[in-house]
PDB file of all heavy atoms in Angstrom:
ATOM      1  N   THR Y   1      85.452  86.744 140.095  1.00  0.00           N
ATOM      2  CA  THR Y   1      85.914  85.999 141.259  1.00  0.00           C
ATOM      3  C   THR Y   1      86.351  86.942 142.366  1.00  0.00           C
ATOM      4  O   THR Y   1      86.886  88.033 142.101  1.00  0.00           O
ATOM      5  CB  THR Y   1      87.082  85.074 140.884  1.00  0.00           C
ATOM      6  OG1 THR Y   1      88.095  85.852 140.257  1.00  0.00           O
ATOM      7  CG2 THR Y   1      86.612  83.977 139.940  1.00  0.00           C
ATOM      8  N   GLU Y   2      86.145  86.529 143.581  1.00  0.00           N
ATOM      9  CA  GLU Y   2      86.589  87.279 144.744  1.00  0.00           C
ATOM     10  C   GLU Y   2      87.852  86.645 145.304  1.00  0.00           C
ATOM     11  O   GLU Y   2      88.144  85.471 145.068  1.00  0.00           O
ATOM     12  CB  GLU Y   2      85.499  87.280 145.823  1.00  0.00           C
ATOM     13  CG  GLU Y   2      84.239  88.035 145.427  1.00  0.00           C
ATOM     14  CD  GLU Y   2      83.187  87.946 146.517  1.00  0.00           C
ATOM     15  OE1 GLU Y   2      83.369  87.139 147.441  1.00  0.00           O
ATOM     16  OE2 GLU Y   2      82.174  88.675 146.409  1.00  0.00           O
ATOM     17  N   SER Y   3      88.607  87.448 146.056  1.00  0.00           N
ATOM     18  CA  SER Y   3      89.799  86.966 146.761  1.00  0.00           C
ATOM     19  C   SER Y   3      90.867  86.449 145.803  1.00  0.00           C
ATOM     20  O   SER Y   3      91.628  85.530 146.136  1.00  0.00           O
ATOM     21  CB  SER Y   3      89.414  85.846 147.756  1.00  0.00           C
ATOM     22  OG  SER Y   3      88.389  86.278 148.619  1.00  0.00           O
ATOM     23  N   MET Y   4      90.921  87.012 144.587  1.00  0.00           N
ATOM     24  CA  MET Y   4      91.976  86.601 143.654  1.00  0.00           C
ATOM     25  C   MET Y   4      93.291  87.250 144.057  1.00  0.00           C
ATOM     26  O   MET Y   4      93.344  88.467 144.280  1.00  0.00           O
ATOM     27  CB  MET Y   4      91.613  87.014 142.228  1.00  0.00           C
ATOM     28  CG  MET Y   4      90.464  86.217 141.644  1.00  0.00           C
ATOM     29  SD  MET Y   4      90.922  84.512 141.287  1.00  0.00           S
ATOM     30  CE  MET Y   4      91.757  84.711 139.726  1.00  0.00           C
ATOM     31  N   PRO Y   5      94.371  86.501 144.168  1.00  0.00           N
ATOM     32  CA  PRO Y   5      95.668  87.087 144.517  1.00  0.00           C
ATOM     33  C   PRO Y   5      96.134  88.078 143.449  1.00  0.00           C
ATOM     34  O   PRO Y   5      95.684  88.050 142.307  1.00  0.00           O
ATOM     35  CB  PRO Y   5      96.597  85.870 144.581  1.00  0.00           C
ATOM     36  CG  PRO Y   5      95.675  84.698 144.759  1.00  0.00           C
ATOM     37  CD  PRO Y   5      94.425  85.061 144.020  1.00  0.00           C
ATOM     38  N   GLU Y   6      97.056  88.937 143.819  1.00  0.00           N
ATOM     39  CA  GLU Y   6      97.621  89.890 142.874  1.00  0.00           C
ATOM     40  C   GLU Y   6      98.436  89.157 141.812  1.00  0.00           C
ATOM     41  O   GLU Y   6      98.969  88.073 142.048  1.00  0.00           O
ATOM     42  CB  GLU Y   6      98.545  90.885 143.605  1.00  0.00           C
ATOM     43  CG  GLU Y   6      97.818  91.798 144.579  1.00  0.00           C
ATOM     44  CD  GLU Y   6      96.915  92.779 143.863  1.00  0.00           C
ATOM     45  OE1 GLU Y   6      97.235  93.153 142.723  1.00  0.00           O
ATOM     46  OE2 GLU Y   6      95.885  93.174 144.450  1.00  0.00           O
ATOM     47  N   GLY Y   7      98.518  89.787 140.630  1.00  0.00           N
ATOM     48  CA  GLY Y   7      99.383  89.262 139.586  1.00  0.00           C
ATOM     49  C   GLY Y   7      98.767  88.206 138.709  1.00  0.00           C
ATOM     50  O   GLY Y   7      99.485  87.387 138.152  1.00  0.00           O
ATOM     51  N   HIS Y   8      97.420  88.202 138.591  1.00  0.00           N
ATOM     52  CA  HIS Y   8      96.802  87.178 137.757  1.00  0.00           C
ATOM     53  C   HIS Y   8      96.417  87.694 136.377  1.00  0.00           C
ATOM     54  O   HIS Y   8      95.725  87.026 135.643  1.00  0.00           O
ATOM     55  CB  HIS Y   8      95.566  86.591 138.451  1.00  0.00           C
ATOM     56  CG  HIS Y   8      94.397  87.524 138.509  1.00  0.00           C
ATOM     57  ND1 HIS Y   8      94.344  88.606 139.361  1.00  0.00           N
ATOM     58  CD2 HIS Y   8      93.229  87.539 137.803  1.00  0.00           C
ATOM     59  CE1 HIS Y   8      93.191  89.237 139.199  1.00  0.00           C
ATOM     60  NE2 HIS Y   8      92.495  88.621 138.261  1.00  0.00           N
ATOM     61  N   LEU Y   9      96.880  88.915 136.023  1.00  0.00           N
ATOM     62  CA  LEU Y   9      96.611  89.428 134.678  1.00  0.00           C
ATOM     63  C   LEU Y   9      97.335  88.587 133.632  1.00  0.00           C
ATOM     64  O   LEU Y   9      98.438  88.101 133.859  1.00  0.00           O
ATOM     65  CB  LEU Y   9      97.056  90.888 134.564  1.00  0.00           C
ATOM     66  CG  LEU Y   9      96.133  91.928 135.211  1.00  0.00           C
ATOM     67  CD1 LEU Y   9      96.752  93.312 135.066  1.00  0.00           C
ATOM     68  CD2 LEU Y   9      94.745  91.899 134.593  1.00  0.00           C
ATOM     69  N   MET Y  10      96.708  88.456 132.492  1.00  0.00           N
ATOM     70  CA  MET Y  10      97.289  87.670 131.412  1.00  0.00           C
ATOM     71  C   MET Y  10      96.771  88.243 130.110  1.00  0.00           C
ATOM     72  O   MET Y  10      96.189  89.313 130.075  1.00  0.00           O
ATOM     73  CB  MET Y  10      96.888  86.197 131.557  1.00  0.00           C
ATOM     74  CG  MET Y  10      95.396  86.010 131.629  1.00  0.00           C
ATOM     75  SD  MET Y  10      94.945  84.333 132.016  1.00  0.00           S
ATOM     76  CE  MET Y  10      93.161  84.508 132.099  1.00  0.00           C
ATOM     77  N   GLY Y  11      96.984  87.539 129.002  1.00  0.00           N
ATOM     78  CA  GLY Y  11      96.469  88.045 127.741  1.00  0.00           C
ATOM     79  C   GLY Y  11      96.977  87.260 126.552  1.00  0.00           C
ATOM     80  O   GLY Y  11      97.556  86.185 126.687  1.00  0.00           O
ATOM     81  N   VAL Y  12      96.754  87.832 125.360  1.00  0.00           N
ATOM     82  CA  VAL Y  12      97.224  87.246 124.107  1.00  0.00           C
ATOM     83  C   VAL Y  12      98.376  88.109 123.598  1.00  0.00           C
ATOM     84  O   VAL Y  12      98.272  89.343 123.566  1.00  0.00           O
ATOM     85  CB  VAL Y  12      96.099  87.183 123.059  1.00  0.00           C
ATOM     86  CG1 VAL Y  12      96.637  86.714 121.710  1.00  0.00           C
ATOM     87  CG2 VAL Y  12      94.988  86.251 123.537  1.00  0.00           C
ATOM     88  N   ALA Y  13      99.458  87.465 123.208  1.00  0.00           N
ATOM     89  CA  ALA Y  13     100.647  88.197 122.749  1.00  0.00           C
ATOM     90  C   ALA Y  13     101.086  87.686 121.384  1.00  0.00           C
ATOM     91  O   ALA Y  13     100.818  86.543 121.009  1.00  0.00           O
ATOM     92  CB  ALA Y  13     101.791  88.042 123.752  1.00  0.00           C
ATOM     93  N   LEU Y  14     101.753  88.560 120.642  1.00  0.00           N
ATOM     94  CA  LEU Y  14     102.409  88.175 119.404  1.00  0.00           C
ATOM     95  C   LEU Y  14     103.821  87.721 119.753  1.00  0.00           C
ATOM     96  O   LEU Y  14     104.601  88.494 120.312  1.00  0.00           O
ATOM     97  CB  LEU Y  14     102.454  89.350 118.424  1.00  0.00           C
ATOM     98  CG  LEU Y  14     103.215  89.090 117.115  1.00  0.00           C
ATOM     99  CD1 LEU Y  14     102.469  88.060 116.261  1.00  0.00           C
ATOM    100  CD2 LEU Y  14     103.404  90.389 116.336  1.00  0.00           C
ATOM    101  N   ALA Y  15     104.136  86.468 119.446  1.00  0.00           N
ATOM    102  CA  ALA Y  15     105.469  85.924 119.720  1.00  0.00           C
ATOM    103  C   ALA Y  15     106.236  85.793 118.411  1.00  0.00           C
ATOM    104  O   ALA Y  15     105.667  85.411 117.386  1.00  0.00           O
ATOM    105  CB  ALA Y  15     105.355  84.564 120.401  1.00  0.00           C
ATOM    106  N   TYR Y  16     107.526  86.106 118.449  1.00  0.00           N
ATOM    107  CA  TYR Y  16     108.368  86.009 117.263  1.00  0.00           C
ATOM    108  C   TYR Y  16     109.822  85.875 117.703  1.00  0.00           C
ATOM    109  O   TYR Y  16     110.160  86.109 118.871  1.00  0.00           O
ATOM    110  CB  TYR Y  16     108.194  87.237 116.359  1.00  0.00           C
ATOM    111  CG  TYR Y  16     108.427  88.559 117.067  1.00  0.00           C
ATOM    112  CD1 TYR Y  16     109.666  89.188 117.034  1.00  0.00           C
ATOM    113  CD2 TYR Y  16     107.400  89.178 117.777  1.00  0.00           C
ATOM    114  CE1 TYR Y  16     109.886  90.390 117.686  1.00  0.00           C
ATOM    115  CE2 TYR Y  16     107.603  90.378 118.434  1.00  0.00           C
ATOM    116  CZ  TYR Y  16     108.836  90.981 118.393  1.00  0.00           C
ATOM    117  OH  TYR Y  16     109.060  92.170 119.044  1.00  0.00           O
ATOM    118  N   SER Y  17     110.670  85.489 116.775  1.00  0.00           N
ATOM    119  CA  SER Y  17     112.076  85.316 117.104  1.00  0.00           C
ATOM    120  C   SER Y  17     112.718  86.664 117.411  1.00  0.00           C
ATOM    121  O   SER Y  17     112.479  87.655 116.716  1.00  0.00           O
ATOM    122  CB  SER Y  17     112.812  84.648 115.935  1.00  0.00           C
ATOM    123  OG  SER Y  17     114.210  84.617 116.178  1.00  0.00           O
ATOM    124  N   SER Y  18     113.529  86.688 118.448  1.00  0.00           N
ATOM    125  CA  SER Y  18     114.215  87.933 118.797  1.00  0.00           C
ATOM    126  C   SER Y  18     115.482  88.133 117.974  1.00  0.00           C
ATOM    127  O   SER Y  18     116.135  89.171 118.073  1.00  0.00           O
ATOM    128  CB  SER Y  18     114.572  87.924 120.291  1.00  0.00           C
ATOM    129  OG  SER Y  18     115.387  86.804 120.600  1.00  0.00           O
ATOM    130  N   GLU Y  19     115.828  87.132 117.145  1.00  0.00           N
ATOM    131  CA  GLU Y  19     117.015  87.220 116.300  1.00  0.00           C
ATOM    132  C   GLU Y  19     116.633  86.955 114.844  1.00  0.00           C
ATOM    133  O   GLU Y  19     115.838  86.067 114.556  1.00  0.00           O
ATOM    134  CB  GLU Y  19     118.072  86.211 116.750  1.00  0.00           C
ATOM    135  CG  GLU Y  19     118.545  86.403 118.185  1.00  0.00           C
ATOM    136  CD  GLU Y  19     119.543  85.349 118.603  1.00  0.00           C
ATOM    137  OE1 GLU Y  19     119.764  84.416 117.798  1.00  0.00           O
ATOM    138  OE2 GLU Y  19     120.089  85.448 119.711  1.00  0.00           O
ATOM    139  N   SER Y  20     117.210  87.691 113.927  1.00  0.00           N
ATOM    140  CA  SER Y  20     116.982  87.514 112.490  1.00  0.00           C
ATOM    141  C   SER Y  20     115.487  87.504 112.158  1.00  0.00           C
ATOM    142  O   SER Y  20     115.000  86.627 111.439  1.00  0.00           O
ATOM    143  CB  SER Y  20     117.636  86.207 111.998  1.00  0.00           C
ATOM    144  OG  SER Y  20     119.013  86.195 112.285  1.00  0.00           O
ATOM    145  N   THR Y  21     114.769  88.472 112.681  1.00  0.00           N
ATOM    146  CA  THR Y  21     113.332  88.540 112.455  1.00  0.00           C
ATOM    147  C   THR Y  21     113.045  89.039 111.043  1.00  0.00           C
ATOM    148  O   THR Y  21     113.547  90.080 110.638  1.00  0.00           O
ATOM    149  CB  THR Y  21     112.674  89.503 113.459  1.00  0.00           C
ATOM    150  OG1 THR Y  21     113.085  89.149 114.769  1.00  0.00           O
ATOM    151  CG2 THR Y  21     111.162  89.434 113.359  1.00  0.00           C
ATOM    152  N   PRO Y  22     112.247  88.298 110.241  1.00  0.00           N
ATOM    153  CA  PRO Y  22     111.892  88.767 108.895  1.00  0.00           C
ATOM    154  C   PRO Y  22     111.213  90.134 108.953  1.00  0.00           C
ATOM    155  O   PRO Y  22     110.452  90.419 109.894  1.00  0.00           O
ATOM    156  CB  PRO Y  22     110.923  87.693 108.390  1.00  0.00           C
ATOM    157  CG  PRO Y  22     111.255  86.474 109.188  1.00  0.00           C
ATOM    158  CD  PRO Y  22     111.666  86.974 110.538  1.00  0.00           C
ATOM    159  N   ILE Y  23     111.488  90.964 107.968  1.00  0.00           N
ATOM    160  CA  ILE Y  23     110.918  92.310 107.957  1.00  0.00           C
ATOM    161  C   ILE Y  23     109.399  92.249 107.934  1.00  0.00           C
ATOM    162  O   ILE Y  23     108.719  93.069 108.561  1.00  0.00           O
ATOM    163  CB  ILE Y  23     111.455  93.110 106.751  1.00  0.00           C
ATOM    164  CG1 ILE Y  23     112.965  93.311 106.883  1.00  0.00           C
ATOM    165  CG2 ILE Y  23     110.763  94.461 106.642  1.00  0.00           C
ATOM    166  CD1 ILE Y  23     113.591  94.074 105.749  1.00  0.00           C
ATOM    167  N   ALA Y  24     108.827  91.253 107.225  1.00  0.00           N
ATOM    168  CA  ALA Y  24     107.368  91.147 107.169  1.00  0.00           C
ATOM    169  C   ALA Y  24     106.784  90.933 108.562  1.00  0.00           C
ATOM    170  O   ALA Y  24     105.713  91.477 108.884  1.00  0.00           O
ATOM    171  CB  ALA Y  24     106.969  90.000 106.244  1.00  0.00           C
ATOM    172  N   VAL Y  25     107.474  90.166 109.413  1.00  0.00           N
ATOM    173  CA  VAL Y  25     106.999  89.946 110.780  1.00  0.00           C
ATOM    174  C   VAL Y  25     107.086  91.236 111.587  1.00  0.00           C
ATOM    175  O   VAL Y  25     106.206  91.537 112.405  1.00  0.00           O
ATOM    176  CB  VAL Y  25     107.812  88.826 111.455  1.00  0.00           C
ATOM    177  CG1 VAL Y  25     107.453  88.707 112.939  1.00  0.00           C
ATOM    178  CG2 VAL Y  25     107.568  87.503 110.754  1.00  0.00           C
ATOM    179  N   LEU Y  26     108.119  92.015 111.350  1.00  0.00           N
ATOM    180  CA  LEU Y  26     108.227  93.312 112.027  1.00  0.00           C
ATOM    181  C   LEU Y  26     107.087  94.236 111.622  1.00  0.00           C
ATOM    182  O   LEU Y  26     106.593  95.022 112.435  1.00  0.00           O
ATOM    183  CB  LEU Y  26     109.576  93.963 111.704  1.00  0.00           C
ATOM    184  CG  LEU Y  26     110.826  93.209 112.188  1.00  0.00           C
ATOM    185  CD1 LEU Y  26     112.087  93.972 111.794  1.00  0.00           C
ATOM    186  CD2 LEU Y  26     110.774  93.010 113.697  1.00  0.00           C
ATOM    187  N   ARG Y  27     106.658  94.135 110.366  1.00  0.00           N
ATOM    188  CA  ARG Y  27     105.515  94.937 109.922  1.00  0.00           C
ATOM    189  C   ARG Y  27     104.243  94.489 110.642  1.00  0.00           C
ATOM    190  O   ARG Y  27     103.411  95.303 111.023  1.00  0.00           O
ATOM    191  CB  ARG Y  27     105.344  94.815 108.407  1.00  0.00           C
ATOM    192  CG  ARG Y  27     106.510  95.411 107.614  1.00  0.00           C
ATOM    193  CD  ARG Y  27     106.582  96.918 107.803  1.00  0.00           C
ATOM    194  NE  ARG Y  27     107.785  97.479 107.204  1.00  0.00           N
ATOM    195  CZ  ARG Y  27     108.890  97.781 107.876  1.00  0.00           C
ATOM    196  NH1 ARG Y  27     108.936  97.568 109.187  1.00  0.00           N
ATOM    197  NH2 ARG Y  27     109.937  98.297 107.269  1.00  0.00           N
ATOM    198  N   LEU Y  28     104.087  93.174 110.833  1.00  0.00           N
ATOM    199  CA  LEU Y  28     102.941  92.660 111.577  1.00  0.00           C
ATOM    200  C   LEU Y  28     102.991  93.144 113.015  1.00  0.00           C
ATOM    201  O   LEU Y  28     101.962  93.548 113.585  1.00  0.00           O
ATOM    202  CB  LEU Y  28     102.937  91.126 111.528  1.00  0.00           C
ATOM    203  CG  LEU Y  28     101.805  90.427 112.299  1.00  0.00           C
ATOM    204  CD1 LEU Y  28     100.451  90.784 111.710  1.00  0.00           C
ATOM    205  CD2 LEU Y  28     102.005  88.916 112.288  1.00  0.00           C
ATOM    206  N   ARG Y  29     104.171  93.130 113.600  1.00  0.00           N
ATOM    207  CA  ARG Y  29     104.329  93.633 114.967  1.00  0.00           C
ATOM    208  C   ARG Y  29     103.963  95.103 115.064  1.00  0.00           C
ATOM    209  O   ARG Y  29     103.286  95.541 116.002  1.00  0.00           O
ATOM    210  CB  ARG Y  29     105.772  93.427 115.428  1.00  0.00           C
ATOM    211  CG  ARG Y  29     106.042  93.848 116.869  1.00  0.00           C
ATOM    212  CD  ARG Y  29     107.508  94.096 117.096  1.00  0.00           C
ATOM    213  NE  ARG Y  29     107.982  95.231 116.307  1.00  0.00           N
ATOM    214  CZ  ARG Y  29     109.257  95.602 116.225  1.00  0.00           C
ATOM    215  NH1 ARG Y  29     110.191  94.891 116.837  1.00  0.00           N
ATOM    216  NH2 ARG Y  29     109.608  96.647 115.511  1.00  0.00           N
ATOM    217  N   ASP Y  30     104.399  95.896 114.079  1.00  0.00           N
ATOM    218  CA  ASP Y  30     104.108  97.321 114.094  1.00  0.00           C
ATOM    219  C   ASP Y  30     102.610  97.591 114.003  1.00  0.00           C
ATOM    220  O   ASP Y  30     102.077  98.459 114.715  1.00  0.00           O
ATOM    221  CB  ASP Y  30     104.834  98.021 112.937  1.00  0.00           C
ATOM    222  CG  ASP Y  30     106.347  97.981 113.095  1.00  0.00           C
ATOM    223  OD1 ASP Y  30     106.809  97.719 114.227  1.00  0.00           O
ATOM    224  OD2 ASP Y  30     107.059  98.196 112.098  1.00  0.00           O
ATOM    225  N   VAL Y  31     101.925  96.851 113.120  1.00  0.00           N
ATOM    226  CA  VAL Y  31     100.477  97.025 112.986  1.00  0.00           C
ATOM    227  C   VAL Y  31      99.784  96.619 114.278  1.00  0.00           C
ATOM    228  O   VAL Y  31      98.868  97.296 114.751  1.00  0.00           O
ATOM    229  CB  VAL Y  31      99.926  96.209 111.801  1.00  0.00           C
ATOM    230  CG1 VAL Y  31      98.398  96.213 111.801  1.00  0.00           C
ATOM    231  CG2 VAL Y  31     100.449  96.766 110.488  1.00  0.00           C
ATOM    232  N   ALA Y  32     100.236  95.504 114.869  1.00  0.00           N
ATOM    233  CA  ALA Y  32      99.635  95.032 116.115  1.00  0.00           C
ATOM    234  C   ALA Y  32      99.849  96.039 117.242  1.00  0.00           C
ATOM    235  O   ALA Y  32      98.923  96.337 118.006  1.00  0.00           O
ATOM    236  CB  ALA Y  32     100.229  93.679 116.501  1.00  0.00           C
ATOM    237  N   ALA Y  33     101.051  96.592 117.338  1.00  0.00           N
ATOM    238  CA  ALA Y  33     101.346  97.556 118.392  1.00  0.00           C
ATOM    239  C   ALA Y  33     100.501  98.815 118.228  1.00  0.00           C
ATOM    240  O   ALA Y  33     100.006  99.391 119.207  1.00  0.00           O
ATOM    241  CB  ALA Y  33     102.831  97.900 118.375  1.00  0.00           C
ATOM    242  N   THR Y  34     100.312  99.249 116.973  1.00  0.00           N
ATOM    243  CA  THR Y  34      99.498 100.430 116.706  1.00  0.00           C
ATOM    244  C   THR Y  34      98.027 100.151 116.973  1.00  0.00           C
ATOM    245  O   THR Y  34      97.302 100.997 117.517  1.00  0.00           O
ATOM    246  CB  THR Y  34      99.665 100.883 115.240  1.00  0.00           C
ATOM    247  OG1 THR Y  34     101.042 101.144 115.003  1.00  0.00           O
ATOM    248  CG2 THR Y  34      98.842 102.126 114.957  1.00  0.00           C
ATOM    249  N   LYS Y  35      97.589  98.959 116.603  1.00  0.00           N
ATOM    250  CA  LYS Y  35      96.181  98.590 116.743  1.00  0.00           C
ATOM    251  C   LYS Y  35      95.770  98.510 118.197  1.00  0.00           C
ATOM    252  O   LYS Y  35      94.684  98.931 118.579  1.00  0.00           O
ATOM    253  CB  LYS Y  35      95.946  97.234 116.064  1.00  0.00           C
ATOM    254  CG  LYS Y  35      94.503  96.756 116.078  1.00  0.00           C
ATOM    255  CD  LYS Y  35      93.653  97.557 115.136  1.00  0.00           C
ATOM    256  CE  LYS Y  35      92.219  97.027 115.117  1.00  0.00           C
ATOM    257  NZ  LYS Y  35      91.342  97.874 114.294  1.00  0.00           N
ATOM    258  N   TYR Y  36      96.665  97.978 119.035  1.00  0.00           N
ATOM    259  CA  TYR Y  36      96.289  97.725 120.421  1.00  0.00           C
ATOM    260  C   TYR Y  36      96.911  98.695 121.414  1.00  0.00           C
ATOM    261  O   TYR Y  36      96.350  98.923 122.478  1.00  0.00           O
ATOM    262  CB  TYR Y  36      96.662  96.286 120.799  1.00  0.00           C
ATOM    263  CG  TYR Y  36      95.808  95.267 120.086  1.00  0.00           C
ATOM    264  CD1 TYR Y  36      96.214  94.718 118.867  1.00  0.00           C
ATOM    265  CD2 TYR Y  36      94.589  94.880 120.596  1.00  0.00           C
ATOM    266  CE1 TYR Y  36      95.426  93.799 118.204  1.00  0.00           C
ATOM    267  CE2 TYR Y  36      93.788  93.977 119.938  1.00  0.00           C
ATOM    268  CZ  TYR Y  36      94.212  93.430 118.735  1.00  0.00           C
ATOM    269  OH  TYR Y  36      93.435  92.534 118.066  1.00  0.00           O
ATOM    270  N   ALA Y  37      98.104  99.220 121.087  1.00  0.00           N
ATOM    271  CA  ALA Y  37      98.799 100.162 121.979  1.00  0.00           C
ATOM    272  C   ALA Y  37      98.822  99.615 123.400  1.00  0.00           C
ATOM    273  O   ALA Y  37      98.483 100.281 124.360  1.00  0.00           O
ATOM    274  CB  ALA Y  37      98.129 101.537 121.941  1.00  0.00           C
ATOM    275  N   ARG Y  38      99.226  98.343 123.502  1.00  0.00           N
ATOM    276  CA  ARG Y  38      99.222  97.679 124.805  1.00  0.00           C
ATOM    277  C   ARG Y  38     100.583  97.771 125.472  1.00  0.00           C
ATOM    278  O   ARG Y  38     101.521  98.402 124.974  1.00  0.00           O
ATOM    279  CB  ARG Y  38      98.844  96.197 124.626  1.00  0.00           C
ATOM    280  CG  ARG Y  38      97.425  96.009 124.101  1.00  0.00           C
ATOM    281  CD  ARG Y  38      96.392  96.376 125.118  1.00  0.00           C
ATOM    282  NE  ARG Y  38      95.052  96.124 124.616  1.00  0.00           N
ATOM    283  CZ  ARG Y  38      93.957  96.262 125.334  1.00  0.00           C
ATOM    284  NH1 ARG Y  38      94.025  96.678 126.556  1.00  0.00           N
ATOM    285  NH2 ARG Y  38      92.774  96.006 124.820  1.00  0.00           N
ATOM    286  N   VAL Y  39     100.710  97.075 126.584  1.00  0.00           N
ATOM    287  CA  VAL Y  39     101.957  97.046 127.346  1.00  0.00           C
ATOM    288  C   VAL Y  39     103.021  96.337 126.542  1.00  0.00           C
ATOM    289  O   VAL Y  39     102.770  95.305 125.928  1.00  0.00           O
ATOM    290  CB  VAL Y  39     101.732  96.322 128.688  1.00  0.00           C
ATOM    291  CG1 VAL Y  39     103.044  96.232 129.458  1.00  0.00           C
ATOM    292  CG2 VAL Y  39     100.684  97.031 129.502  1.00  0.00           C
ATOM    293  N   ASP Y  40     104.231  96.866 126.518  1.00  0.00           N
ATOM    294  CA  ASP Y  40     105.335  96.211 125.827  1.00  0.00           C
ATOM    295  C   ASP Y  40     105.821  95.045 126.668  1.00  0.00           C
ATOM    296  O   ASP Y  40     106.274  95.227 127.777  1.00  0.00           O
ATOM    297  CB  ASP Y  40     106.475  97.214 125.589  1.00  0.00           C
ATOM    298  CG  ASP Y  40     107.566  96.649 124.709  1.00  0.00           C
ATOM    299  OD1 ASP Y  40     107.501  95.450 124.412  1.00  0.00           O
ATOM    300  OD2 ASP Y  40     108.466  97.414 124.334  1.00  0.00           O
ATOM    301  N   ALA Y  41     105.743  93.844 126.107  1.00  0.00           N
ATOM    302  CA  ALA Y  41     106.135  92.657 126.870  1.00  0.00           C
ATOM    303  C   ALA Y  41     107.157  91.854 126.070  1.00  0.00           C
ATOM    304  O   ALA Y  41     107.067  90.659 125.969  1.00  0.00           O
ATOM    305  CB  ALA Y  41     104.917  91.792 127.161  1.00  0.00           C
ATOM    306  N   ARG Y  42     108.149  92.519 125.514  1.00  0.00           N
ATOM    307  CA  ARG Y  42     109.102  91.835 124.664  1.00  0.00           C
ATOM    308  C   ARG Y  42     110.132  91.035 125.429  1.00  0.00           C
ATOM    309  O   ARG Y  42     110.871  90.258 124.864  1.00  0.00           O
ATOM    310  CB  ARG Y  42     109.827  92.843 123.766  1.00  0.00           C
ATOM    311  CG  ARG Y  42     108.874  93.570 122.816  1.00  0.00           C
ATOM    312  CD  ARG Y  42     109.640  94.567 121.984  1.00  0.00           C
ATOM    313  NE  ARG Y  42     108.705  95.474 121.323  1.00  0.00           N
ATOM    314  CZ  ARG Y  42     109.076  96.522 120.624  1.00  0.00           C
ATOM    315  NH1 ARG Y  42     110.341  96.816 120.486  1.00  0.00           N
ATOM    316  NH2 ARG Y  42     108.177  97.301 120.054  1.00  0.00           N
TER     317      ARG Y  42
END
């Protein structure tokens, strides 16, 4: 598309609770962060 305004970037993110996060979910987050090495959007 042409003439797209700034700030239209988006994507797929891993969402999880910021409190009392199960360790297994943190392991999934770690693998995902290593796999993609993307922008931190916590």
Side-chain angles (χ1 to χ4, degrees):
T1 54
E2 294 178 349
S3 306
M4 290 290 279
E6 294 292 330
H8 71 286
L9 283 177
M10 55 188 177
V12 174
L14 176 68
Y16 55 95
S17 173
S18 58
E19 300 178 354
S20 303
T21 309
I23 296 180
V25 173
L26 297 180
R27 295 294 172 261
L28 179 63
R29 183 201 65 186
D30 294 343
V31 171
T34 302
K35 183 72 178 175
Y36 291 92
R38 296 290 183 175
V39 177
D40 188 352
R42 298 179 194 174

